[in-house]
């Protein structure tokens, strides 16, 4: 494994058995301000892998031992959120296309230009940042949902179901005024300033809650 330092939190992991290609990519990424960490095999990367890793994984499809595609499948099995770009030879394009359909960001064929690779890296990091933001929002929403009382959660579920205050009052056997109080507390605890935002947040954390 080799490593070079650039912009923090912009980690690019390179997994390729071709030493010349690894060194070339490390130089390219380092000169562009990224932090490049190179591995000569899928097994070596897997031994170092941590679920908290962020950035982008540049992965050769075909390598001795565990292939890049097999590593990708193993990372999916471990629910990794690290976005992947595949490097592929012409004969491996169908496999790379299959990987993209399963969640890889994209693939690039050898030989490739520096500009093309850097463009893919930028897309990969943008996808990772978006995914990380979504996970943070979902975690925050789950925490907020956990702070609701049982009655507030009942009111919330009926709001998500599209019920009006009077309907909620009838279902729960409470007054409309009490519903309004619970509703205001739910909005405050969920950090939502509108009903639309409340619904979006809950559905993002609990897709089954969608009406």
């Amino acid at each position: 494994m080799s490593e070079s330092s650039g912009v923090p939190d912009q980690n690019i992991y390179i997994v390729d058995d071709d030493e010349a290609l690894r060194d070339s990519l490390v130089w390219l990424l380092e000169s562009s301000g990224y932090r490049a960490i190179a591995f000569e095999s899928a097994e070596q990367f897997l031994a170092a892998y941590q679920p908290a890793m962020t950035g982008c994984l540049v992965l050769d499809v075909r390598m001795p031992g565990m292939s890049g595609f097999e590593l990708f499948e193993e990372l999916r099995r471990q629910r990794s959120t690290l976005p992947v770009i595949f490097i592929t030879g012409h004969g491996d394009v169908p496999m790379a296309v299959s990987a993209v359909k399963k969640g890889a960001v994209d693939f690039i064929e050898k030989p490739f230009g520096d500009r093309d690779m850097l463009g893919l890296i930028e897309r990969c990091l943008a996808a990772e940042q978006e995914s990380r933001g979504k996970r943070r929002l979902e975690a925050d929403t789950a925490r907020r949902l956990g702070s609701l009382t049982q009655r507030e959660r009942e009111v919330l579920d009926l709001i998500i179901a599209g019920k009006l205050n009077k309907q909620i009052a009838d279902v729960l056997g409470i007054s409309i005024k009490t519903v309004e109080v619970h509703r205001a507390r739910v909005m405050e605890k969920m950090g939502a300033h509108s009903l639309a935002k409340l619904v979006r947040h809950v559905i993002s954390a609990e897709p089954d809650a969608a009406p």
Side-chain angles (χ1 to χ4, degrees):
M1 180 180 73
S2 62
E3 178 177 324
S4 62
S5 296
V7 180
D9 298 326
Q10 299 279 304
N11 295 337
I12 313 298
Y13 303 95
I14 303 159
V15 183
D16 199 306
D17 62 307
D18 184 333
E19 183 177 3
L21 182 57
R22 287 200 312 272
D23 291 345
S24 174
L25 282 173
V26 167
W27 178 87
L28 172 65
L29 294 168
E30 180 183 19
S31 64
S32 300
Y34 296 112
R35 183 171 181 263
I37 307 170
F39 301 83
E40 64 183 15
S41 70
E43 291 87 349
Q44 189 183 49
F45 174 81
L46 200 55
Y49 171 71
Q50 297 290 332
M53 282 180 170
T54 60
C56 178
L57 174 60
V58 179
L59 180 58
D60 196 351
V61 169
R62 192 175 296 277
M63 293 180 288
M66 176 183 275
S67 70
F69 189 78
E70 288 170 338
L71 172 58
F72 174 69
E73 291 281 21
E74 175 59 23
L75 292 174
R76 287 182 70 231
R77 190 187 67 77
Q78 295 188 30
R79 300 185 182 279
S80 169
T81 58
L82 196 62
V84 175
I85 295 172
F86 275 104
I87 300 174
T88 177
H90 178 69
D92 297 317
V93 169
M95 189 183 298
V97 170
S98 174
V100 170
K101 290 178 179 178
K102 292 183 177 182
V105 172
D106 211 334
F107 68 91
I108 188 168
E109 285 188 79
K110 303 175 187 177
F112 49 81
D114 291 352
R115 187 171 298 178
D116 292 333
M117 174 58 80
L118 290 174
L120 278 184
I121 292 290
E122 288 178 10
R123 276 186 54 202
C124 195
L125 290 172
E128 197 274 338
Q129 187 173 18
E130 181 180 350
S131 176
R132 204 188 319 176
K134 183 179 178 182
R135 293 196 303 274
R136 278 199 299 263
L137 176 60
E138 289 173 354
D140 181 64
T141 300
R143 179 185 61 78
R144 290 175 181 273
L145 285 169
S147 72
L148 299 179
T149 66
Q150 181 178 343
R151 179 62 86 189
E152 288 166 352
R153 181 63 208 232
E154 290 170 347
V155 170
L156 173 60
D157 288 343
L158 291 168
I159 292 173
I160 298 300
K163 302 295 184 184
L164 302 176
N165 285 356
K166 184 178 186 306
Q167 294 171 310
I168 296 173
D170 291 341
V171 170
L172 298 180
I174 57 179
S175 70
I176 294 178
K177 182 66 176 177
T178 301
V179 171
E180 290 172 349
V181 171
H182 286 311
R183 186 176 185 132
R185 287 176 179 166
V186 167
M187 298 291 282
E188 180 181 358
K189 287 185 177 182
M190 294 302 297
H193 303 295
S194 68
L195 179 58
K197 185 175 181 181
L198 175 67
V199 172
R200 282 197 304 271
H201 282 190
V202 174
I203 291 177
S204 70
E206 299 181 348
D208 291 342

